[in-house]
Amino acid sequence: MDIMDAISKRRSVRKFIDKDIGRDILEKIIGAGVMAPSPKNMQNWKFIVVSGAKKGEMLDIMKKGIENIKTIDQLSEGREYFIASLEHTMGIMKEAPVTVFVINTANKHVLGQTMQEKFYEMANIQAIGAAIQNMLIAACGYGIGSLWISDIFFAYYDFCKWFNTDDQLVAAVSFGYFEDTVRRKKRKKLEEVVEWR
Ligand SMILES: Cc1cc2nc3c(=O)[nH]c(=O)nc-3n(C[C@H](O)[C@H](O)[C@H](O)COP(=O)(O)O)c2cc1C
């Protein structure tokens, strides 16, 4: 597939069909991820692949996270929509045969960093973003749909505990085969987002 074709064909898939993804293809997708650039080529990332019976544990953690959110009073505006959207993401993770969690192995999830640590953190997260985008594009090339997920943050510490890590959890990505009926979402016009100097 032509590169621009793959970039423009990629879209978030939220409905998967019941078909497993072979480990060989998953290794190719994650292999595309680790080809991404990273600050000083440090490759401060780790990919945790959750599938099969382990999905149950992952979903229990998500469910607990959502239940906790429901008890928070400050969530008044758009509360119903917000919780429904978290539950929707959890449903997608249930349907997807595979979800990959991506961890920044160079930064801890603690507050109060020095400026240098903060800069490194920002750079590491950018590299992980590049790795994730590579995985999405590679998956697209194999006819596999993907969804980049940050809703896992609502169960952040429980996921970190499950992974037995105090490194920083950055995102998750669900993967699965799908019916190719997902419409492409509109983008802002270039004039709106680019300033030429
Ligand atoms: C960092 C990031 C986090 C996201 N988190 C979620 C999520 O938790 N749940 C979800 O349904 N979509 C999530 N998305 C997908 C976006 O909603 C989607 O990319 C956006 O609407 C544009 O649609 P497209 O990907 O089909 O072009 C996320 C995307 C990014 C880049």
Side-chain angles (χ1 to χ4, degrees):
M1 198 187 287
D2 169 71
I3 290 176
M4 289 309 282
D5 233 32
I7 290 172
S8 65
K9 281 214 170 98
R10 196 261 353 133
R11 59 208 59 184
S12 293
V13 173
R14 295 184 173 83
K15 186 118 200 62
F16 299 102
I17 59 172
D18 187 15
K19 181 178 170 188
D20 281 340
I21 305 175
R23 190 172 171 138
D24 52 335
I25 294 190
L26 280 171
E27 283 177 355
K28 287 198 169 101
I29 291 172
I30 298 169
V34 302
M35 279 184 224
S38 62
K40 302 193 192 306
N41 197 25
M42 299 276 276
Q43 304 169 58
N44 290 319
W45 44 50
K46 181 175 176 185
F47 303 84
I48 299 178
V49 183
V50 179
S51 63
K54 287 284 171 187
K55 265 175 63 179
E57 289 175 34
M58 171 187 80
L59 294 168
D60 284 347
I61 293 170
M62 268 304 271
K63 208 172 187 171
K64 193 173 149 201
I66 297 172
E67 290 310 314
N68 284 341
I69 291 292
K70 285 182 185 168
T71 63
I72 297 175
D73 288 339
Q74 292 97 308
L75 268 185
S76 47
E77 217 172 295
R79 182 192 182 92
E80 303 299 317
Y81 174 78
F82 179 68
I83 289 170
S85 133
L86 288 178
E87 283 172 340
H88 186 218
T89 299
M90 182 171 67
I92 298 163
M93 292 166 78
K94 184 174 180 189
E95 200 173 74
V98 178
T99 295
V100 177
F101 289 77
V102 193
I103 286 172
N104 167 8
T105 55
N107 293 94
K108 309 287 168 206
H109 46 242
V110 287
L111 300 173
Q113 306 176 85
T114 64
M115 192 183 273
Q116 193 183 17
E117 282 165 342
K118 184 75 198 163
F119 286 162
Y120 273 117
E121 179 187 42
M122 284 163 64
N124 286 323
I125 292 172
Q126 287 171 47
I128 284 172
I132 292 174
Q133 180 68 1
N134 273 8
M135 294 197 292
L136 307 190
I137 303 284
C140 179
Y142 290 112
I144 291 170
S146 58
L147 182 67
W148 190 328
I149 297 172
S150 55
D151 281 347
I152 50 156
F153 288 153
F154 298 99
Y156 185 92
Y157 286 106
D158 284 322
F159 275 121
C160 290
K161 200 167 150 201
W162 190 43
F163 299 138
N164 198 19
T165 186
D166 60 355
D167 289 341
Q168 196 176 57
L169 174 60
V170 178
V173 187
S174 285
F175 292 101
Y177 289 97
F178 67 112
E179 309 279 1
D180 195 7
T181 50
V182 185
R183 298 255 299 273
R184 190 144 76 89
K185 283 197 181 158
K186 280 205 177 122
R187 290 298 190 261
K188 290 179 181 170
K189 292 197 174 76
L190 280 194
E191 312 76 281
E192 290 176 65
V193 295
V194 182
E195 180 183 321
W196 301 89
R197 291 208 174 184

